[in-house]
Amino acid sequence: MPRFGPVRRDDLIRHLRQLGFTGPWSGGKHAFMERGSLTIRIPNPHQGDIGKELLARILRHAGISVIDWERL
């Protein structure tokens, strides 16, 4: 179960795939993932983890609750 907090980009992608998203695909400045008609942007690789605030924004945009995230 992933806890709600800083997460590595690879782990974020793996968990989003478990929730039915496909990708990531490159496009413009950021990669993106899709589930049906919903498209979410994925941060580019960088040295540190994806912070709690950015993770919260990504999950909110994807319609995923913190409870669902931690239930994976």
Side-chain angles (χ1 to χ4, degrees):
M1 286 187 209
R3 65 178 181 85
F4 182 73
V7 64
R8 291 185 3 205
R9 182 178 187 268
D10 294 340
D11 292 336
L12 173 66
I13 291 169
R14 182 170 42 89
H15 295 312
L16 288 174
R17 284 182 181 157
Q18 290 175 352
L19 291 167
F21 284 87
T22 58
W25 292 286
S26 61
K29 294 181 179 182
H30 294 281
F32 63 94
M33 295 182 78
E34 296 178 320
R35 180 175 67 187
S37 62
L38 177 63
T39 301
I40 58 170
R41 287 182 286 161
I42 303 297
N44 292 325
H46 52 78
Q47 291 182 1
D49 290 341
I50 295 168
K52 185 176 180 178
E53 295 80 17
L54 180 54
L55 177 60
R57 282 188 274 163
I58 291 169
L59 295 180
R60 187 171 38 251
H61 182 75
I64 301 167
S65 71
V66 173
I67 295 169
D68 292 338
W69 176 257
E70 291 182 338
R71 199 176 290 158
L72 286 177

